[in-house]
Amino acid sequence: MSEALTGQVHAARDGAELAQAMVNKKVSPAQARERIADIEHRGDAMRAALVDRLSRTLVAPLDREDLFRLSRSIDDVLDTIREFVREADLYQIQRRKTYRPFLDHVVTAVESLDEAVGTLWSAPQEVPLKALDAKKAARSISREYQQEFARIVDGDMSPEALKHRELIKRLDGVGARICDAADVLTDGALKRGY
């Protein structure tokens, strides 16, 4: 079960790193869109494996419902990253460097979430604090969004500005999904008395 959940988080991390590579011009948006599909399939396979194992497991570090909710939240993180990559290709993303701070925060937040999930089996008493670290990292994405959105509304509302707004909104959504996953982890750990 730990391998499936960790594999799911690693798929989200790989998706975030791919999006980061795209905005750093290491891969084109079209290439990233093609590669994210494979990453998403891997994440879906890990989620399916987790659901299967949950149905056959007697003891787990969190309640089954909380593990299922956590898995769904992590799936939502990867889905939102996939949508960002898809839209970046669809909108013919411009000025990629403006997205770098967002993706730096996304990668950091997913890595913090990975660490929090990892402690479920090794040191469950640390889960609430590790989940809080993930949530703090995810909030950095929201702050970046607010600052960039303010710059957009202060400028001309051109088609490019509207596309840019949609893309940063998608990244803000990634942060919100990471916060959701961190909340599920914290709630589940506290229910268990960790």
Side-chain angles (χ1 to χ4, degrees):
M1 183 185 327
S2 66
E3 296 87 2
L5 190 58
T6 301
Q8 203 181 347
V9 179
H10 289 174
R13 181 200 60 208
D14 292 349
E17 288 174 349
L18 176 64
Q20 186 180 46
M22 180 185 70
V23 300
N24 286 326
K25 297 186 178 181
K26 293 179 180 173
V27 296
S28 71
Q31 291 169 324
R33 187 174 181 177
E34 188 177 305
R35 290 183 195 172
I36 196 83
D38 293 334
I39 294 170
E40 186 182 23
H41 291 316
R42 185 163 32 96
D44 289 344
M46 291 292 103
R47 180 164 162 72
L50 177 73
V51 170
D52 178 59
R53 288 185 186 129
L54 278 175
S55 66
R56 297 183 284 121
T57 301
L58 295 175
V59 179
L62 298 180
D63 292 345
R64 283 189 176 110
E65 297 82 11
D66 290 326
L67 281 170
F68 185 79
R69 284 176 46 226
L70 176 60
S71 175
R72 187 177 62 225
S73 295
I74 295 166
D75 187 53
D76 289 345
V77 170
L78 181 54
D79 284 350
T80 310
I81 292 169
R82 181 209 60 219
E83 286 302 305
F84 168 75
V85 170
R86 186 185 68 78
E87 289 171 1
D89 182 39
L90 183 68
Y91 297 156
Q92 302 288 303
I93 189 172
Q94 302 292 318
R95 297 177 302 127
R96 287 192 230 177
K97 67 180 180 180
T98 60
Y99 301 94
R100 288 177 188 159
F102 287 91
L103 270 304
D104 291 345
H105 292 309
V106 168
V107 169
T108 299
V110 173
E111 286 172 349
S112 293
L113 182 62
D114 183 27
E115 195 174 326
V117 168
T119 59
L120 270 175
W121 285 270
S122 62
Q125 68 281 2
E126 294 179 19
V127 168
L129 286 175
K130 297 290 183 184
L132 183 60
D133 289 343
K135 193 165 183 171
K136 285 179 183 175
R139 285 185 179 144
S140 298
I141 303 164
S142 180
R143 286 191 294 277
E144 197 69 44
Y145 168 76
Q146 291 165 3
Q147 291 171 358
E148 191 62 24
F149 186 79
R151 281 193 279 276
I152 291 169
V153 296
D154 279 346
D156 294 330
M157 291 309 282
S158 66
E160 285 305 317
L162 293 174
K163 291 176 186 178
H164 182 54
R165 186 189 72 185
E166 288 302 307
L167 289 170
I168 64 168
K169 184 175 162 186
R170 188 65 71 184
L171 291 172
D172 187 45
V174 173
R177 303 296 78 77
I178 294 168
C179 284
D180 291 345
D183 285 342
V184 171
L185 260 176
T186 302
D187 292 349
L190 292 176
K191 271 191 225 172
R192 285 290 176 102
Y194 297 140

